[in-house]
């Protein structure tokens, strides 16, 4: 039997916007500080189609950085057939390991709930097709989010819930959705 090399333990930052200010303006010292603190990998979520090229450029320059392009609820009005096609193409890139940052946010003045839900559903379907987990942003919309996650069978890919401010009961329901699926990045 071949001996396996023991890897040094490290932390994995599952949500850090290295491609956006202010971090992007101080990228080298920020990465050095993270490495000194034991962070070995970074998952950089996308928020809008216009920022995906910069996202991909950023992760290409940082060893251990991975991408999660997506359409954040605040950019959901940008969801259309062209955006869907562009995202679908990105999901086949080796550096892309998740879809995100996607979700619902009822605290935003716009776009409205229907627009956010359409973008969320479209991205969940792409994530399932690509067999990639999702990074979910949710503020004050947990009940509706859980309904959509069930309807779109998000448990098939799993993911990370971010910006959570719901109840313990809702958290347990979210855990139950992904209970049978464990994903490694």
């Amino acid at each position: 039997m071949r001996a396996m090399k023991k890897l040094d333990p490290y932390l994995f930052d599952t949500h850090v916007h290295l491609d956006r200010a202010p971090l992007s303006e101080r990228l080298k010292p920020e990465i050095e500080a993270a490495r000194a603190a034991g962070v070995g990998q970074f998952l950089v979520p996308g928020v809008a189609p216009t920022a995906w090229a910069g996202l991909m450029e950023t992760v290409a320059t940082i060893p251990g950085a991975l991408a999660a392009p997506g359409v954040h609820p605040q950019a959901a009005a940008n969801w259309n057939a062209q955006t869907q096609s562009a995202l679908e193409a990105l999901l086949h890139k080796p550096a892309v390991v998740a879809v995100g940052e996607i979700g619902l946010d009822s605290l935003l003045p716009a776009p409205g709930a229907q627009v956010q839900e359409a973008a969320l559903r479209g991205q969940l379907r792409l994530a399932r097709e690509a067999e990639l987990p999702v990074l979910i942003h949710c503020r004050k919309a947990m009940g509706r989010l859980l309904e959509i996650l069930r309807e779109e069978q998000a448990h098939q890919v799993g993911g990370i819930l971010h910006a959570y401010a719901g109840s313990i009961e809702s958290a347990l329901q979210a855990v139950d959705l992904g209970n049978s699926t464990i994903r490694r990045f």
Side-chain angles (χ1 to χ4, degrees):
M1 180 186 283
R2 197 169 80 195
M4 294 188 66
K5 180 183 175 191
K6 184 175 187 256
L7 299 175
D8 290 333
Y10 62 83
L11 299 172
F12 187 144
D13 189 333
T14 63
H15 193 111
V16 59
H17 293 280
L18 296 174
D19 61 325
R20 299 175 60 98
L23 292 177
S24 63
E25 297 165 352
R26 296 181 23 85
L27 198 53
K28 186 175 180 185
E30 293 292 339
I31 295 298
E32 288 172 357
R35 299 256 192 247
V39 179
Q41 286 192 281
F42 309 88
L43 185 55
V44 185
V47 294
T50 56
W52 292 342
L55 165 69
M56 298 307 291
E57 289 173 20
T58 299
V59 300
T61 64
I62 302 167
L66 301 165
V71 179
H72 188 282
Q74 69 189 7
N78 294 307
W79 185 255
N80 56 40
Q82 182 180 356
T83 301
Q84 180 176 332
S85 293
L87 181 55
E88 189 171 15
L90 279 177
L91 299 183
H92 299 289
K93 303 276 186 191
V96 174
V97 297
V99 179
E101 173 175 1
I102 68 176
L104 301 175
D105 192 327
S106 69
L107 297 179
L108 294 173
Q114 287 183 327
V115 173
Q116 290 183 38
E117 288 183 19
L120 173 60
R121 286 182 186 277
Q123 292 175 95
L124 288 171
R125 290 173 187 154
L126 287 180
R128 271 197 356 259
E129 290 170 14
E131 298 181 337
L132 292 174
V134 292
L135 303 182
I136 300 175
H137 170 100
C138 184
R139 292 193 311 164
K140 301 292 184 183
M142 194 61 190
R144 185 65 182 136
L145 175 72
L146 288 170
E147 288 175 23
I148 292 170
L149 293 176
R150 285 186 196 97
E151 291 167 5
E152 296 297 336
Q153 302 176 17
H155 67 278
Q156 292 178 0
V157 292
I160 297 169
L161 189 55
H162 161 75
Y164 182 78
S167 67
I168 291 173
E169 293 80 13
S170 293
L172 293 173
Q173 289 177 43
V175 169
D176 283 344
L177 277 174
N179 201 6
S180 62
T181 305
I182 298 174
R183 300 288 302 211
R184 281 188 80 179
F185 288 108

